[in-house]
Amino acid sequence: MSARRPEAVEAPGRFSPEAGGALAPNASGNVGARHVHSLAPRRASLMQEPVLVLNATYEPINVTAVRRAMVLLLKGVAQAEEVHNAEVHSSAHAHKVPSVIRLLAYRHIPQQSRALSRKNILLRDRNTCQFCGKVFPSSELTLDHVLPRSRGGRSSWENLVACCYRCNNHKGDRTPEEAGLKLARKPRPFTLHTSRQLMRLIGHRDERWRKYLFY
Ligand SMILES: [Zn+2]
């Protein structure tokens, strides 16, 4: 087993708290929760909806969850560029739920370190086990280190692939060649193209994102 703790795949020191979180919104939405406890959302799930984060230059840099985006707005770090019709209420104010926000100060965020997460690897691989080629729900997939960690394999875009538990068990602590497995395709490194593609996948239901992602 080369990916026992898929949730723990993170680059060290990857982003500042203000940078907007991982590319895919954090399902637990726990980032900065202490700042929004006074907000009473109509639906809890609304707070987990994805929000596109633009840099000050309007360059799309990230995806976060509504909860986190609200924190950035209330702190004055970002402003809303696009909003949903829905509102959330704090004790004194009603706030439109953001769909796209823009950071007011430009931030330099290294691409590679920002987006490495289980969710993003599964998105890149379209929830397809890269060894047997079958599509699985996220809960039935793990991350496999192609070159096992015990052999010095790194947690990187180039060395992590979506993998079903069956293939993962079969592969164990071996390379694909040793286990008689073949990768469906060579894992692609993270590029600006990957980033845009992931953002489009995450935001495909929200037309407000389109003009920022050029499609
Ligand atoms: Zn498989």
Side-chain angles (χ1 to χ4, degrees):
M1 180 85 88
S2 53
R4 218 169 278 251
R5 294 178 297 115
E7 297 298 344
V9 174
E10 286 184 2
R14 49 178 183 166
F15 37 69
S16 69
E18 258 77 85
L23 191 61
N26 183 348
S28 65
N30 56 355
V31 183
R34 67 185 187 278
H35 296 289
V36 288
H37 65 273
S38 61
L39 294 171
R42 271 188 219 152
R43 306 191 305 271
S45 63
L46 189 65
M47 298 304 267
Q48 310 302 341
E49 285 292 306
V51 175
L52 183 64
V53 182
L54 308 174
N55 215 333
T57 52
Y58 290 89
E59 177 204 359
I61 49 168
N62 219 334
V63 176
T64 190
V66 166
R67 178 186 293 276
R68 171 95 188 118
M70 297 294 298
V71 172
L72 296 176
L73 295 178
L74 292 174
K75 285 168 81 176
V77 173
Q79 72 177 36
E81 294 291 333
E82 308 283 339
V83 293
H84 294 280
N85 284 326
E87 290 181 340
V88 288
H89 299 271
S90 62
S91 51
H93 300 99
H95 307 269
K96 288 275 191 190
V97 174
S99 160
V100 179
I101 64 169
R102 183 169 66 91
L103 300 177
L104 296 178
Y106 180 81
R107 278 169 206 279
H108 177 73
I109 305 158
Q111 291 276 343
Q112 175 74 31
S113 62
R114 191 176 63 220
L116 186 67
S117 70
R118 167 186 153 81
K119 272 186 186 176
N120 290 339
I121 297 282
L122 296 188
L123 274 169
R124 181 197 62 185
D125 293 345
R126 306 287 179 114
N127 274 47
T128 305
C129 171
Q130 293 300 292
F131 295 111
C132 67
K134 292 186 190 135
V135 177
F136 292 88
S138 300
S139 60
E140 291 173 33
L141 286 166
T142 184
L143 297 185
D144 180 68
H145 286 76
V146 178
L147 177 66
R149 275 190 288 196
S150 59
R151 313 275 191 88
R154 295 176 54 215
S155 295
S156 67
W157 282 86
E158 294 86 344
N159 195 46
L160 284 169
V161 293
C163 182
C164 74
Y165 283 100
R166 192 181 159 160
C167 290
N168 193 246
N169 279 330
H170 171 68
K171 182 170 176 284
D173 238 7
R174 298 180 290 180
T175 66
E177 297 74 36
E178 290 167 353
L181 295 168
K182 201 170 178 309
L183 275 173
R185 65 178 177 193
K186 195 175 183 307
R188 282 171 299 172
F190 185 78
T191 63
L192 192 62
H193 176 72
T194 323
S195 167
R196 293 284 156 85
Q197 201 181 3
L198 293 176
M199 288 176 187
R200 285 175 193 141
L201 283 168
I202 296 165
H204 71 279
R205 283 172 303 177
D206 193 341
E207 291 193 355
R208 298 170 192 86
W209 290 25
R210 287 181 178 238
K211 65 182 173 195
Y212 304 98
L213 296 171
F214 310 109
Y215 72 107

